[in-house]
Amino acid sequence: PAAASTAASGRRGRRQRRAGRRPGGSLALRGRRGDGDGGGLAAGRPRPGPCQARGGALRPRRGGCEAPGPQGPRRCLRSVELSSQRRFDEIKKANQAAAKKLVEDQFSSSSEDDDEDAEVKQGKILAKTFTIYTSQTDGDASELERTRQYVNEAFQSGAMTCLICIASVKRNQAVWSCCGCFCIFHLVCIQKWAKDSLFLVSSPLTDDDFGKKDYPWPCPKCRFEYKRSETPSRYYCYCGKVENPPLDPWLVPHSCGQICEREFKPPCGHKCLLLCHPGPCPPCPKMVTTTCHCKKAKPVPRRCSAKEWSCRLPCGRLLLCGQHTCENPCHAGNCQPCPRVSKQRCICGRQTAERLCASPQWQCDQVCGKALPCGNHTCEQVCHAGPCGDCPRSGKRSCPCGKSKFTLPCTEDVPTCGDSCDKVLECGIHKCSQRCHRGPCEICRQEVEKQCRCGKHTKRMPCHKPYLCETKCTKIRDCQKHQCRRKCCSGNCPPCDQVCGRTLGCRNHKCPSGCHRGSCNPCPETVDVKCNCGKTVIKVPCGRERTIKPPKCKQLCSRPPTCHHPTQEKHYCHFGRCPPCRQSCQKTLACGHLCPVPCHDEALVKQTGLHQSAGPWEQPSEPAFIQTALPCPPCQVPVPVSPLPCHSAGPYSCKRPCGRLLNCQNHTCMKECHHVTKINGSADGKKAGPECLQCEEECTKPRPPGCSHRCVLPCHPGDCPSCLQMLKIKCHCKLSVLYIECLKLTSADLKEKDLLTSCKNQCPKELLCGHRCKEICHSGCCPLNCNQKVKLRCPCKRLKKEVQCSKIQEGQVSLECDALCKEMKRKASEIKEAEAKAAIEEEKRRQQAELEAFENRLKGRRKNKRRKDEIEIEQSSWQKYKNLIMLPVFGVAVVMIAWLMVYND
């Protein structure tokens, strides 16, 4: 029943997993199994669960989501959204990490650029690191060469290389330094190296023995062994004070900048004074007072690192021989063996020989031969000291099998006892069946059922013969690559005897070790990278010689010059062609001077026309340059009698203006000093020649007063012609445009000019009174007295009179209204008052009618809404008789207006 229930539960679990649910009943989004994801989500992409996302919408699979109710699709949608958000976050973190790494790599190089600024900066950092030490040694830095080499490698491109991954060690990477060889490795690489080394050492052990012994792991370079507990787990600076030292461009890479304070080796009680640095600490610079090795000289102050010193006097200590004293100069340690030779007897005293005094004990090759106490035998020992001892055949002796003991004289041999031997044979199982006998027992000849060494076969055969079957072992050896293939193997397969042969990280050598598991050891070889001349050499790990820059050599280039100079300019050792020669050419020119320009024996000249393209489809090739010698340029040395250079000496131009008088007789030639051809044998040096400039300027002679026009002729000799140009001017009244010759206008006097500029028409200007001026077009102001006759009217405009305009302006004449005018004015005012009163009464009646109509509507007269209220309004007396009154009034007004008009005319 238990087995049946177990099988049933297994089947239920399988059905639930097929449906996309875990056994607990919760909805599961199963992910594809990826590398190292434990079967979960692969790269952040969930596999479609019960609800399949197709075409942007969630579609339930056959059977739908198994979650009860409408919550099933919602849960599936929520799971898909969570997985998408998780994937977005992972990609975001990866992008941020990549961007951060890219920014750090811009400043993470383990070396500086090979320019002058980098060298100056490196020199300042080195001086800062060694300042405290050199202050103790009075500036002597000879003991710092080894440490300086390690510090320089920290700055040099490619010098700091991790031997495990064969990659450069950068400033921002965590590192670990070996305390034996001071080699620097990546912290991650050395941790993996230690883990693999411990695994390889402890892999042959059983589970019971694993962990009982603390197996060490070695340094990849010097094989210095470290305990398991010394495996690095954190990143420290070189001196070990600061964890995760910050990146500082003004410090040695991976240094904390503090004083090292590590103890010197060998220990002397003092500590290192340098700033935190790679490599070994230099010798102790402290001053101590110490004596020599033999203690004979007086104590003197010396460096602590060199406090052991010799006074060079004979040592004088008694040697081990006890006869002579040490004659060597004062030295450290024990004295050497005595070098003298003396005659010495052997141990037994029979022979004498000359031997070194330092080895008085020696043996000869003679047998002792002295009689033993028994008197029957002699001593058989070789030259020995002391007594020979008792006879070895005296006392109780056993038979060959050891079961019986006999007391016999030393002259008699021990007989056999006759019992069985019973000694265990070589097989270790059976005993000897012979009777007590002398000498070794025979081999075991019993037949037994033997099992082969591998335990797979059995066979009946003599016990003394080993049984090995022909079955070959198929187990994998400890290298995890090759089978054992040994016949009848007991199971404890020997180590793999094949050579690894894998190519190392340097890509130059193959692993010479036996076939093994894990990574191969780094290539132990180093390669010398040399400069061009070979005098400057740096050692780099094998495989880095292809990427590292050659060292900068401070030796001068020793190549012979390629130009005509006997020696070339001094420059440092380099690869490739030497730089162009910058020395002066100094070749002798045809004129006898030396060429002063830079050397041009190896000038690069561009070649053109070497290759004709076949068509427009062919890409143009880069221009080819050839190195050729160019001829010396023309001599530019100045000549004393001429400002021209040597190559163009002769008649020259002084660069001043020519100054010859041109044909216009007004200007001179402004051309720069030039050659002039003489015409008709003319010897006058002031006249212009055909090479001089032709005057192209306008005539600049002064014009007559009042004429603003230029001369129509170009620059000419003699007087200018008369100006016949017509002037366009306005008359005095500014209404007409007149055209007058410039000559007439400029030659006329004031009266003639007034007549010429008058249009002969009446002046259009208005006087102060408003009338037009009666004078002909004139200059100046118009007359003030107006003789125009005008009509003067009374204030009511009924009476009129003609008088001169000037008298009216002066106020000499006036016209007043008579009695008729006053009577007509009074009647007109009465009519206006009557009309105003009638209008006021009419407005009051209208308002009263509207008020009554409004009151009637408020009293409820709404039975017939369409009916309009009819209100009879009584006409006033004015409305009744206004037509009879207004007609005579209008008639009188018309008659008066007509009379006034006739009177004015």
Side-chain angles (χ1 to χ4, degrees):
S5 63
T6 303
S9 63
R11 287 193 295 273
R12 285 195 299 272
R14 287 193 293 273
R15 286 196 297 270
Q16 289 172 346
R17 286 191 293 273
R18 292 193 195 100
R21 295 174 58 84
R22 296 189 181 94
S26 60
L27 186 63
L29 289 175
R30 297 176 294 172
R32 289 194 291 269
R33 187 177 300 277
D35 296 337
D37 59 356
L41 296 176
R45 294 181 298 177
R47 293 181 61 186
C51 292
Q52 302 289 335
R54 297 176 183 174
L58 287 173
R59 298 179 181 179
R61 290 192 303 184
R62 187 167 51 191
C65 291
E66 297 186 6
Q71 298 297 327
R74 294 180 182 176
R75 292 178 181 176
C76 187
L77 178 60
R78 190 181 302 110
S79 300
V80 173
E81 291 178 352
L82 291 176
S83 63
S84 300
Q85 182 66 27
R86 190 183 305 111
R87 181 186 177 193
F88 175 79
D89 294 341
E90 291 177 357
I91 296 174
K92 180 180 178 181
K93 291 180 180 178
N95 291 339
Q96 291 177 350
K100 183 178 180 182
K101 182 178 179 182
L102 179 62
V103 172
E104 290 178 351
D105 285 346
Q106 302 299 325
F107 186 66
S108 63
S109 176
S110 62
S111 63
E112 301 287 344
D113 296 335
D114 295 332
D115 53 5
E116 296 180 359
D117 294 340
E119 291 182 358
V120 172
K121 181 179 179 181
Q122 179 178 343
K124 291 181 179 179
I125 296 175
L126 290 176
K128 181 180 177 182
T129 304
F130 300 149
T131 298
I132 302 179
Y133 186 92
T134 53
S135 63
Q136 296 284 335
T137 61
D138 296 332
D140 183 14
S142 58
E143 301 291 344
L144 295 173
E145 291 302 325
R146 187 181 178 194
T147 306
R148 188 189 300 274
Q149 180 181 358
Y150 280 91
V151 177
N152 286 333
E153 287 179 356
F155 291 101
Q156 192 174 8
S157 175
M160 290 181 62
T161 305
C162 178
L163 296 180
I164 299 175
C165 64
I166 314 297
S168 297
V169 179
K170 300 181 179 179
R171 287 176 176 267
N172 62 334
Q173 293 176 335
V175 297
W176 176 82
S177 177
C178 175
C179 61
C181 61
F182 305 101
C183 188
I184 295 177
F185 306 90
H186 292 124
L187 182 62
V188 178
C189 296
I190 197 65
Q191 288 175 344
K192 185 177 183 300
W193 174 271
K195 182 179 178 181
D196 294 345
S197 300
L198 293 173
F199 177 76
L200 292 176
V201 172
S202 59
S203 58
L205 302 178
T206 61
D207 295 338
D208 297 335
D209 297 334
F210 184 78
K212 292 183 178 180
K213 185 176 180 181
D214 189 8
Y215 289 96
W217 56 272
C219 169
K221 184 177 181 181
C222 65
R223 298 297 172 183
F224 185 83
E225 292 186 348
Y226 294 88
K227 297 180 181 179
R228 182 194 298 268
S229 59
E230 296 177 343
T231 302
S233 59
R234 296 181 180 180
Y235 169 39
Y236 288 93
C237 61
Y238 298 113
C239 64
K241 292 181 181 179
V242 179
E243 181 180 355
N244 297 323
L247 183 63
D248 192 342
W250 286 99
L251 292 177
V252 179
H254 315 290
S255 170
C256 64
Q258 302 180 20
I259 299 177
C260 179
E261 293 186 348
R262 287 183 289 182
E263 292 186 357
F264 290 108
K265 293 182 181 180
C268 63
H270 302 125
K271 295 183 178 180
C272 181
L273 301 177
L274 299 182
L275 299 184
C276 182
H277 62 91
C281 296
C284 181
K286 295 288 185 179
M287 297 297 292
V288 294
T289 303
T290 181
T291 185
C292 63
H293 300 294
C294 64
K295 312 297 181 182
K296 294 180 180 179
K298 294 181 180 180
V300 295
R302 295 179 62 86
R303 300 280 181 203
C304 182
S305 59
K307 61 184 177 181
E308 302 292 337
W309 64 284
S310 172
C311 64
R312 310 308 298 172
L313 296 176
C315 177
R317 284 184 286 184
L318 186 65
L319 298 178
L320 295 178
C321 65
Q323 299 177 3
H324 308 102
T325 57
C326 181
E327 298 178 354
N328 292 329
C330 177
H331 60 84
N334 297 326
C335 297
Q336 295 181 358
C338 184
R340 296 185 180 184
V341 177
S342 60
K343 291 184 178 182
Q344 300 177 7
R345 290 182 179 272
C346 64
I347 296 176
C348 64
R350 294 182 180 180
Q351 294 184 3
T352 302
E354 289 186 354
R355 296 180 58 83
L356 292 174
C357 187
S359 57
Q361 301 290 331
W362 66 285
Q363 284 182 326
C364 63
D365 54 357
Q366 294 184 4
V367 179
C368 179
K370 293 180 181 180
L372 296 177
C374 65
N376 299 320
H377 301 94
T378 58
C379 179
E380 298 180 353
Q381 296 183 21
V382 181
C383 177
H384 65 87
C388 296
D390 296 334
C391 180
R393 296 171 63 88
S394 62
K396 290 185 178 182
R397 289 179 287 173
S398 299
C399 64
C401 68
K403 293 181 179 180
S404 301
K405 294 185 178 181
F406 301 92
T407 304
L408 297 173
C410 64
T411 56
E412 296 183 6
D413 295 332
V414 178
T416 58
C417 64
D419 197 356
S420 59
C421 180
D422 287 339
K423 289 183 181 179
V424 179
L425 299 178
E426 292 180 356
C427 64
I429 300 174
H430 305 102
K431 296 181 179 180
C432 181
S433 61
Q434 295 181 357
R435 292 186 180 277
C436 181
H437 59 88
R438 292 182 177 85
C441 298
E442 295 183 351
I443 59 177
C444 183
R445 300 183 180 276
Q446 293 189 22
E447 289 190 357
V448 294
E449 191 77 17
K450 268 199 166 186
Q451 190 176 22
C452 65
R453 187 165 55 186
C454 64
K456 294 183 179 180
H457 305 281
T458 57
K459 184 178 181 181
R460 193 166 186 82
M461 58 185 305
C463 183
H464 70 278
K465 293 184 178 180
Y467 176 40
L468 299 177
C469 67
E470 297 296 325
T471 303
K472 294 184 179 180
C473 181
T474 59
K475 289 185 178 180
I476 302 298
R477 295 191 179 185
D478 57 353
C479 66
Q480 299 296 320
K481 294 180 182 179
H482 305 106
Q483 291 183 344
C484 178
R485 305 302 294 169
R486 189 175 64 162
K487 290 184 178 180
C488 196
C489 180
S490 61
N492 187 14
C493 301
C496 186
D497 54 356
Q498 299 187 30
V499 179
C500 176
R502 287 185 291 181
T503 303
L504 299 177
C506 64
R507 306 297 179 186
N508 296 328
H509 305 96
K510 293 185 178 181
C511 181
S513 305
C515 190
H516 57 86
R517 284 184 293 176
S519 303
C520 298
N521 294 335
C523 182
E525 302 292 334
T526 58
V527 180
D528 292 342
V529 179
K530 301 180 180 180
C531 64
N532 188 34
C533 66
K535 295 182 180 179
T536 304
V537 182
I538 59 172
K539 292 184 178 294
V540 298
C542 182
R544 295 287 294 177
E545 68 275 5
R546 292 184 292 269
T547 58
I548 193 172
K549 296 180 181 179
K552 295 183 68 175
C553 182
K554 298 299 182 181
Q555 301 293 330
L556 295 178
C557 180
S558 58
R559 296 181 183 177
T562 56
C563 60
H564 67 278
H565 292 102
T567 58
Q568 61 178 349
E569 288 182 310
K570 292 182 179 181
H571 58 278
Y572 291 129
C573 172
H574 61 90
F575 288 91
R577 297 179 59 86
C578 290
C581 180
R582 300 180 183 275
Q583 303 179 65
S584 296
C585 178
Q586 296 299 316
K587 288 183 179 179
T588 304
L589 302 176
C591 61
H593 296 115
L594 299 179
C595 180
V597 299
C599 181
H600 45 81
D601 286 352
E602 296 179 343
L604 292 177
V605 179
K606 181 179 177 181
Q607 282 187 321
T608 57
L610 296 179
H611 176 71
Q612 297 294 335
S613 58
W617 58 86
E618 185 175 355
Q619 295 293 334
S621 60
E622 295 183 358
F625 291 89
I626 60 173
Q627 198 170 32
T628 182
L630 296 179
C632 293
C635 181
Q636 300 292 333
V637 177
V639 180
V641 297
S642 173
L644 300 177
C646 179
H647 73 279
S648 59
Y652 65 95
S653 173
C654 63
K655 306 298 181 181
R656 291 178 293 180
C658 176
R660 294 174 183 267
L661 187 63
L662 300 179
N663 296 330
C664 66
Q665 303 298 320
N666 299 319
H667 303 95
T668 57
C669 179
M670 300 303 296
K671 192 175 181 181
E672 196 176 83
C673 179
H674 59 89
H675 174 72
V676 178
T677 304
K678 296 181 180 181
I679 302 176
N680 299 327
S682 176
D684 190 0
K686 296 184 179 180
K687 291 185 178 181
E691 291 82 4
C692 291
L693 295 175
Q694 298 295 326
C695 184
E696 297 178 354
E697 297 184 9
E698 297 179 352
C699 180
T700 58
K701 293 181 180 181
R703 304 298 295 166
C707 179
S708 60
H709 305 104
R710 294 181 179 180
C711 181
V712 295
L713 298 178
C715 186
H716 58 88
D719 297 332
C720 296
S722 301
C723 181
L724 302 178
Q725 190 169 352
M726 300 298 291
L727 295 179
K728 182 180 179 181
I729 60 175
K730 289 188 177 182
C731 63
H732 299 297
C733 59
K734 307 299 182 184
L735 295 179
S736 302
V737 177
L738 305 178
Y739 292 91
I740 306 171
E741 288 185 3
C742 181
L743 179 61
K744 292 181 180 181
L745 188 63
T746 55
S747 61
D749 54 6
L750 293 178
K751 292 183 178 180
E752 292 178 353
K753 286 183 179 180
D754 289 339
L755 293 175
L756 289 175
T757 55
S758 176
C759 61
K760 306 299 188 293
N761 295 324
Q762 184 182 355
C763 180
K765 298 178 183 179
E766 289 185 355
L767 300 178
L768 295 177
C769 61
H771 298 112
R772 183 176 177 181
C773 179
K774 298 296 184 179
E775 300 291 336
I776 297 173
C777 179
H778 60 88
S779 60
C781 297
C782 295
L784 298 178
N785 295 327
C786 180
N787 298 321
Q788 180 77 19
K789 287 186 177 184
V790 295
K791 292 179 180 181
L792 179 64
R793 293 180 182 273
C794 66
C796 66
K797 306 298 181 182
R798 188 179 70 82
L799 301 177
K800 63 181 179 177
K801 182 180 179 181
E802 286 187 358
V803 294
Q804 289 183 355
C805 179
S806 59
K807 291 182 179 182
I808 297 176
Q809 295 296 328
E810 294 175 356
Q812 298 177 2
V813 180
S814 62
L815 184 61
E816 300 294 337
C817 293
D818 56 0
L820 181 58
C821 293
K822 294 178 179 179
E823 182 64 25
M824 292 176 65
K825 187 184 295 185
R826 184 182 62 78
K827 289 182 179 179
S829 61
E830 289 178 357
I831 293 171
K832 287 182 180 179
E833 289 178 359
E835 289 179 353
K837 288 180 180 180
I840 291 171
E841 292 177 359
E842 180 67 24
E843 181 65 23
K844 287 182 179 180
R845 284 194 297 271
R846 187 181 62 79
Q847 290 179 358
Q848 184 65 28
E850 289 180 358
L851 179 61
E852 291 177 358
F854 179 72
E855 289 178 354
N856 292 334
R857 283 196 298 273
L858 290 178
K859 289 179 181 180
R861 296 180 181 181
R862 302 174 182 174
K863 296 179 181 181
N864 190 2
K865 293 182 180 180
R866 296 181 180 178
R867 183 177 179 182
K868 296 180 181 180
D869 295 333
E870 295 180 358
I871 300 174
E872 294 182 358
I873 300 173
E874 184 180 358
Q875 293 183 352
S876 60
S877 58
W878 167 254
Q879 290 178 347
K880 293 180 179 178
Y881 303 106
K882 65 180 179 181
N883 293 331
L884 297 174
I885 297 172
M886 291 301 295
L887 286 175
V889 173
F890 283 131
V892 172
V894 171
V895 172
M896 291 181 68
I897 292 171
W899 180 80
L900 289 173
M901 291 177 64
V902 172
Y903 178 77
N904 290 333
D905 293 338

